[in-house]
Amino acid sequence: MNQTRERPPAQVAEASPGAGGSESAGRRPGRPRSERADKAIVEATVDLLAEEGGVAGVSIEAVAARAGVGKTTIYRRWPNKEALIIDALAALKEPFPPPVGESVRDDLIAIAQAFVSNKTDKKRLDCYWSILGGAERYPELMGRFTREVIEPRRDVIRMVLRRGVASGELRADLDVETTLWLIMGTMAQRTRAFGVGPVPDDFATRVVDALMTGIAGR
């Protein structure tokens, strides 16, 4: 009786670690492959966007061929090419640094500098121009790009400006939306300007300081 009672638990105890070990061992090799596949798919999408065909040149078939994966691999991760393009563009845009909060000036300079660093890579610029150039043809894609990629970055600037108003660093009657566009518009225009050379290292500081003369609290 004792033997029959002891043997089943012993077998279960031996089988459980074995099954768990083989299952997790079977999963671990799959994770790096998935990460590599994701990276290859996103990079292929970016490459296609940056080429002359732009958005029109991106298709699930073209991305699969460029990335060296099957179409089913892509569809398991993204429902359509629009979702894939949005994720690829989001991967290109580094998030703005989280505001430290020591001063509005310092936070705005850090954000402006990050804006420049995101715009100095030619492939990134080609991708952005591709999306902007296709805005009328692909309004839903442009709308998603704005909502999911651009608007969260604008919200960071809004937060800094509103905090400055609340702390008294900025004038109480500050028009937050206009100030937001002054910052983003100036930085975007300078990074896209042709024939004027690279953006100076201190350009972000100069822009913010010039802006602060008009928006700083009295």
Side-chain angles (χ1 to χ4, degrees):
M1 292 293 293
N2 290 338
Q3 291 180 348
T4 57
R5 288 176 183 173
E6 292 173 359
R7 286 170 57 191
Q11 290 172 351
V12 171
E14 293 172 0
S16 296
S22 61
E23 190 176 22
S24 58
R27 281 199 301 265
R28 286 194 193 102
R31 287 175 183 169
R33 284 199 298 269
S34 294
E35 291 171 3
R36 286 196 296 269
D38 287 350
K39 183 178 180 180
I41 292 166
V42 168
E43 288 179 350
T45 305
V46 169
D47 288 343
L48 290 167
L49 275 174
E51 294 173 1
E52 291 184 6
V55 176
V58 179
S59 67
I60 298 299
E61 291 78 8
V63 172
R66 182 73 64 96
V69 301
K71 289 192 294 183
T72 55
T73 301
I74 298 177
Y75 280 121
R76 278 198 296 267
R77 293 159 171 79
W78 293 276
N80 50 52
K81 88 167 188 176
E82 287 76 16
L84 174 54
I85 289 174
I86 293 299
D87 277 2
L89 291 170
L92 281 179
K93 276 189 171 293
E94 298 172 3
F96 282 155
V100 176
E102 293 182 359
S103 77
V104 169
R105 176 183 178 273
D106 290 347
D107 284 341
L108 290 179
I109 289 173
I111 289 170
Q113 288 174 334
F115 195 98
V116 173
S117 68
N118 271 329
K119 297 287 187 180
T120 53
D121 181 81
K122 184 179 184 303
K123 184 182 289 187
R124 291 183 182 188
L125 281 175
D126 289 343
C127 287
Y128 300 148
W129 280 114
S130 174
I131 291 295
L132 293 174
E136 292 186 2
R137 187 175 179 185
Y138 306 98
E140 292 184 7
L141 177 61
M142 186 64 194
R144 284 193 60 183
F145 175 63
T146 301
R147 290 191 304 272
E148 298 178 25
V149 180
I150 301 299
E151 201 59 30
R153 295 161 67 83
R154 292 174 181 164
D155 284 340
V156 174
I157 301 177
R158 290 185 182 105
M159 180 180 65
V160 172
L161 295 175
R162 287 169 181 152
R163 191 194 72 219
V165 172
S167 68
E169 292 176 81
L170 303 181
R171 51 193 295 174
D173 61 348
L174 180 71
D175 186 328
V176 170
E177 289 303 307
T178 298
T179 306
L180 163 72
W181 285 106
L182 285 171
I183 297 170
M184 296 193 70
T186 301
M187 302 308 297
Q189 184 61 37
R190 181 58 183 85
T191 55
R192 296 171 186 167
F194 294 100
V196 293
V199 180
D201 292 340
D202 65 342
F203 184 72
T205 300
R206 285 158 46 197
V207 168
V208 172
D209 283 344
L211 187 64
M212 289 293 291
T213 61
I215 68 174
R218 303 302 181 189

